Amino acid sequence: MDARLTDEHERVQETAREFIESEGGIDLARRQIDGENVVDDLWNELADLDYTAITVPLEYDGFGEGMVYLAALLEVAGRYALPGPLPETAAVAVPLIRDLGTEDQRSRFLPSVADGDLRMSVAVYDDETEPLPGGIRMGAERRGDEGTTEFRLEGTKTLVPYAAETDVVIVAARTREGQGYDGVSLFAVETDHDAVEATRMDSLDWARPMYELSIDGLTVGEDALLGPLHGGGSALVTAMDRFSVAGTAMLVGAADRAVELSVEYGTEREQYGQPIGRFQAVKHRTADMWVDMQSARSLVYYAAWALDEDEPDAARAAAATKAFAADRLHRVFGDDIWNHGGMGFTWDHDAHIYLKQAKSWRNFLGSPEANRDRLIDARLAAERNR
Amino acid sequence: MDARLTDEHERVQETAREFIESEGGIDLARRQIDGENVVDDLWNELADLDYTAITVPLEYDGFGEGMVYLAALLEVAGRYALPGPLPETAAVAVPLIRDLGTEDQRSRFLPSVADGDLRMSVAVYDDETEPLPGGIRMGAERRGDEGTTEFRLEGTKTLVPYAAETDVVIVAARTREGQGYDGVSLFAVETDHDAVEATRMDSLDWARPMYELSIDGLTVGEDALLGPLHGGGSALVTAMDRFSVAGTAMLVGAADRAVELSVEYGTEREQYGQPIGRFQAVKHRTADMWVDMQSARSLVYYAAWALDEDEPDAARAAAATKAFAADRLHRVFGDDIWNHGGMGFTWDHDAHIYLKQAKSWRNFLGSPEANRDRLIDARLAAERNR
Amino acid sequence: MDFSYTDEQESFRRELRAWLEENAPDGWLEDPELPDDDAERVEFLRDWQRTLADGGWAGVHWPEEYGGRGASLIEQTIYREEMARINAPPQINLIGINLIAPTLIEVGTEAQKQRFLPKILSAEEIWCQGYSEPEAGSDVASLTTSAEPAGDGEWRIDGQKIWTSYAHVADWCFLVARTDDSGTKHEGLTAFLVEMDQDAISTEPIHQPHDDRTFNQVYFDDAVATDDRVVGEVDQGWDVVMTLSAFEHGSTSIYSIEQRYLDLLEYCRTETRNGTPLIERDRVRQRLADFDARIQAAKAAHRRNVSKQMETGTPGPEGSMDLLVSDELRHDLLNFAVNLRGPAAALWENGHNAFDDTSGYIRSYGAWIAAGTGDIQRNIIGERVLGLPKDDKSKTSHRSE
Amino acid sequence: MDFSYTDEQESFRRELRAWLEENAPDGWLEDPELPDDDAERVEFLRDWQRTLADGGWAGVHWPEEYGGRGASLIEQTIYREEMARINAPPQINLIGINLIAPTLIEVGTEAQKQRFLPKILSAEEIWCQGYSEPEAGSDVASLTTSAEPAGDGEWRIDGQKIWTSYAHVADWCFLVARTDDSGTKHEGLTAFLVEMDQDAISTEPIHQPHDDRTFNQVYFDDAVATDDRVVGEVDQGWDVVMTLSAFEHGSTSIYSIEQRYLDLLEYCRTETRNGTPLIERDRVRQRLADFDARIQAAKAAHRRNVSKQMETGTPGPEGSMDLLVSDELRHDLLNFAVNLRGPAAALWENGHNAFDDTSGYIRSYGAWIAAGTGDIQRNIIGERVLGLPKDDKSKTSHRSE
């Protein structure tokens, strides 16, 4: 056992930090928030640094690394609320294609992702109020005879991150009526079809745009089907686990920064002739922020490791990570605002960027409540097998 | 509107306080805890002060006062964790007999209660793990013909407060199979029958003993039946509301005292050369204790008033009172221990007496969760009728 | 003890309710919505306050001689209940109505009253309050904005204020400046009424996290005020600050929070997830019931406190409890409301409107801070209500000196 | 990064598990219960520690030359996991094993090691720790118990200690006393090994809220210690205190908390209310899942911390996080467990046994305080981990000076 980041992980964190700082740090996110699209240029640079290749297998020109390595990097990205579909591409799409794809699909997508030529996202919801799996409704009608299977996709997916900034979106559709995830199939859909249109939604977190993705009668071949027909559900669940851990890794990086901001302000800002960090209310609140951040970080590392190692408790660990971190890290950012008084409640202070990110993530792909349900089911199953 | 205690309420509080202090204050509870029975002597004195007559109607030699007056008194009693079945007698049994009793029953019981000659309690549970109404199981078999109706009670009630120190226990039994409270009837059972035996249980709060009350084939006449046959449920629910408000009033008095203790200690005790109440951790925790206590007190007063006035939201207010206060006042006592450091975690410090009382009350006659269920049902019904 | 309203109080309610049904802005009762456009919104709110003033409902707690109704604290509570019931638009000149006018009535000159009160009431002149400064925060007495006599009965004001609500639309500012720095920080302050329409005053909006810009920085660069605009005595401004802050504690937002809660309850009855109304979920019911109990507790506590004030006349430090409880309740309620939206919590709602939950939840962080932060309320309760030893470092804010 | 155990570490676990299955007290594995009677319980626990010592499992982290196994921090973690798995009886001489012996090994004389270590290991001599005093509380350096040279190599000790666990059964006390009061409060302290069997020492049990009396007040009235019982240098006792307190931070109770949680989970699977298992209730499931996540987080954090210590060798102030998280978790879990009992929460359970939830829940208040209180842990984290400005008034306890 050595439950620390390796020297290599720490090196990549340091490099990433230097790189993002040199590009302006959190100003990248602020520019995105102000309406600029910083993703295209940024992505090329991320590719130059090989970050897009991290989770791509060696045989497809990648580094064959897993969630731990990626989480280490995403912590740094989260510190700057870095725009771009890095979690979607590297934590969700690449492992799905790696695990489910045919040789043809892998060759088609993975080297391009590694090179930075292809960005990917994932579209699950058809209804922004229904939790999963109920929120998956789009039908994909099977056509053609045995030899020439085709699917016709029709409908509108919602809450698709970065849909307009990505080339391929993995779309969850129902190919068969079924309970829960049964009957769900995954399709890799290229976004530059005429029949596919992305419309920007008013995402709470303007640094991470969300889109409606309307698919107006798009016919795709069997080569777009990712994994077994009707049987994409379990892979989707694992993909969402990876997404949850990746997203939480970003929030942990942000929370680490929020603690720093509170410590800096608590040391410098004086009220009544004293640095405010000397008041126990501020000091203890900041200590609690740090404890919550370290706890969430520990869960992220463990879950990332368990996913990489295919440990039997990987799903439980991912569920615990999201269930634990969602509201607690949200509170960390709120407490940072609070520690800063009036200065914290301004657009110029970074906490609101993180706060909105945390709130956006809370219910996305599974609320803490839903994850607690999953967690306890997994725990009970494990105990029965002991 | 004048939502304050009246001068008369305040006078009775002052008198009660002086009286209890003169009797030793919380040492009465400590003597009871140490195994002495202080109830008998104390009750005579309470009767001399007319406290036992407060809720007895004027025409039965009482004062005809209601829950507000009683709550004001019980706050003081709670401050000293005063032993004795005062809530059981004055808040539960007397109003039940007043509201449900025949003229004969009223005349038989109420003047004796007012005089201090009769103490009463209430027995609902047959199973100490089942919440109500499922916990009411004892059957009362109807016997005899029309003219000479009798009931044969057989079984063991549990968690009966002060059963051995009371003369009459109101026993909830099932006279008919039914859902929920349907089929529940109430019987006034005298405890000095040979067929009735009270066995002390190891109550968490030794100042308020609990008993198993075994009834070994006791036949009672129709004059023991209180209220309608099969239809005692709704009166029992209201009685429990009164009990909840009365019990919470005692806890509020205790919490008021706990705040005082923390303030005293925070002012006197020095650590690192400073009174510890100057540290914000202690100061803010104590402020929160006070806020919770005042909030619970406000709910008690409102619910007591609403019960007295038969306001349409009386049940909702009682449910809110117990739901709000149970865990929060429990935490007030825990925080008082905490503020006192090692000194708080001793038998000599009073907080543990209050803490155990709060924990004993938490689930008794309805957990906070069950009360929240009731509250929201009542609120929804009220909103539908707006 | 009596928690119910008298017939007379109920008739006050009926009169107000009838008036509101007659005079609420067009369509408001069916669908309360403020104009999106900033300028339109200001105009709408000015109109609304003028309508209130014309009906005698703008400053109900003002004495009748100044256009009020001399409403008792209990009637003011009824007023709040009724306004909350229809989600009434806010009074744009609330600072003037609730803080500045009562202060002028108490310590202003007769000429000041005659000059200012009518236009405060009708919102013809909107007011802001210049207290906070970048380096002073909640420690108002440390302010450094200076006012110096410039001859001819004029004062020259220099300095910077921050967190000034409505400064960008205000016609007048109730400003506290330092006129003598030789004494302790509470000495040598003076309160001025400063006209905002001067070249020497500029405002810069502060961009807030809910994408709103109603707070401002205000720069004074040789701004002018005349002797007759001094409130109270020169160098005795701290007394004026204390007079004004006593009025801050009389308020409560519990009734508007209750209305939000009832709206949320209705949402939970009608909104479904997987075909089941939210209200049927145990976890939703339990949370709603806890909010219900907290609101009932806060309302009962407020009524007890009002009853006490009816006798004593002064709001005690117990007002800190209402602020603490209300601010946390509002925040928790709105946060919960956003979470209930499901995956859509990742989206803004209704274009950042004043009445949507998402904006409200973000704004609630600001409300916490504007109210002086829970830390300060807890200091006030600990020190002034309970008598715990004061930390000489942690003054319990200007509200309570 | 690797959270798994090596084969070697797993074989340590297998060896221990096999030994425990062979050597646990009779019937313990089926039904772990300590004797009710105080004297019997002490005898039972002495026997158990002797059994552990005989098997080489009493002081696994001690060097082999003193009867330990030189177990690494990771092996110590495995040891805790396995002990928790069977709810093993506590080691009665845990203070000796975990704190005093390691301190003697580091700073004691060879004669002290030879004399004391074997009997600590076998529990032939039980130890207590004399730090806290009525007026000193968590501020250990303010202690006033004095030791003065009385000639012939003897010291005379006078004063009073409080919260001294096991003093009523202890044979020896690790005592810190003031030998020079001319300097600052951290100077002039000396650590002594004091034999408890003297007329000049009396103990008085402190009655605790869970009706236990394992804490004591200890009175020293001209008690004697000889020169060879001084640990470290005379007047340099603070260094010894610091050496000992470093060992306090190496511990964790998260594995026994996890075992409690698993027991509670089992309870919820089998226990019904209204005919339905508790585990099927949404509100129960949600709470259990939250505990589960908190426990997983604390375990992962502990492993990260242990991995770091394996390199650095010293437990950092991060140990405060483990204390804070564990103490709150234990309390919340036991409080919840009691609440789950339904109306029976109004009763003691199983006669106040060490393993019942009700006693545990009450005892958890004491554990909080004994651990130095969350306030102090938060000070340590704020000041020593995060570097926030130190309040000269709020020393972060003797643990961290």
Side-chain angles (χ1 to χ4, degrees), chain A residues 128 272 285 338 347 356 359, chain C residues 207 209 335 339 344 375 393:
Chain A
E128 69 204 32
Y272 308 103
R285 190 159 46 235
W338 185 239
W347 198 265
K356 290 168 186 168
K359 185 54 85 187
Chain C
H207 195 177
N335 194 23
N339 291 346
D375 293 352
K393 292 180 320 201

Side-chain angles (χ1 to χ4, degrees), chain A residues 90-215:
Chain A
V92 183
V94 166
L96 272 176
I97 292 167
R98 179 192 69 198
D99 296 346
L100 299 183
T102 60
E103 177 50 39
D104 173 61
Q105 288 169 327
R106 293 181 192 175
S107 307
R108 188 152 35 108
F109 295 125
L110 297 181
S112 305
V113 168
D115 278 357
D117 294 337
L118 193 73
R119 303 197 289 259
M120 303 185 78
S121 187
V122 59
V124 288
Y125 294 102
D126 298 53
D127 179 331
E128 69 204 32
T129 65
E130 280 293 327
L132 296 172
I136 304 173
R137 292 180 185 165
M138 176 179 273
E141 195 188 340
R142 192 171 178 175
R143 293 183 166 196
D145 53 33
E146 283 298 301
T148 61
T149 300
E150 288 180 344
F151 298 89
R152 187 181 155 86
L153 300 170
E154 171 105 35
T156 302
K157 304 302 280 189
T158 185
L159 298 173
V160 185
Y162 293 106
E165 287 88 23
T166 49
D167 309 289
V168 172
V169 174
I170 295 178
V171 173
R174 288 204 180 271
T175 43
R176 187 173 74 190
E177 289 291 306
Q179 289 287 314
Y181 286 105
D182 178 49
V184 169
S185 304
L186 304 179
F187 295 91
V189 173
E190 293 173 18
T191 53
D192 68 352
H193 276 288
D194 286 346
V196 178
E197 195 181 357
T199 310
R200 179 86 182 244
M201 303 181 81
D202 195 9
S203 59
L204 181 61
D205 175 9
W206 288 340
R208 298 183 67 76
M210 293 277 196
Y211 292 84
E212 275 191 356
L213 191 73
S214 72
I215 303 181

Side-chain angles (χ1 to χ4, degrees), chain C residues 87 255-265 333-334 354-357 360-361 363:
Chain C
N87 276 316
Y255 298 99
S256 65
I257 293 168
E258 182 182 36
Q259 191 54 47
R260 277 255 156 144
Y261 162 73
L262 292 173
D263 293 346
L264 184 64
L265 194 70
L333 183 69
L334 290 168
F355 295 100
D356 74 38
D357 293 326
Y361 128 78
R363 200 167 44 234

Side-chain angles (χ1 to χ4, degrees), chain A residues 215-262:
Chain A
I215 303 181
D216 185 13
L218 175 70
T219 301
V220 296
E222 203 171 5
D223 60 347
L225 175 67
L226 202 55
L229 186 62
H230 316 313
S234 69
L236 182 62
V237 169
T238 303
M240 293 193 299
D241 283 345
R242 290 201 187 90
F243 204 172
S244 294
V245 172
T248 308
M250 287 190 73
L251 286 180
V252 164
D256 196 5
R257 177 65 184 147
V259 172
E260 269 180 36
L261 288 169
S262 277

Side-chain angles (χ1 to χ4, degrees), chain A residues 125 128-130 202-204 206 269 271-272 274 285 330 338 341-343 345 347 356 359 362-363 369 373, chain C residues 134 136 138 163 207-209 273-274 283 335 339 342 344 346 348 352 361-362 368-369 374-375 393 395:
Chain A
Y125 294 102
E128 69 204 32
T129 65
E130 280 293 327
D202 195 9
S203 59
L204 181 61
W206 288 340
R269 169 73 173 179
Q271 287 261 281
Y272 308 103
Q274 296 284 331
R285 190 159 46 235
H330 177 258
W338 185 239
M343 298 306 304
F345 195 63
W347 198 265
K356 290 168 186 168
K359 185 54 85 187
R362 184 192 191 272
N363 292 341
E369 293 82 6
D373 263 341
Chain C
S138 55
W163 316 126
H207 195 177
Q208 293 169 277
R273 299 282 180 265
N274 290 328
R283 62 186 77 148
N335 194 23
N339 291 346
W348 287 95
H352 330 176
Y361 128 78
I362 294 178
W368 264 357
I369 293 163
D375 293 352
K393 292 180 320 201
K395 287 284 165 18

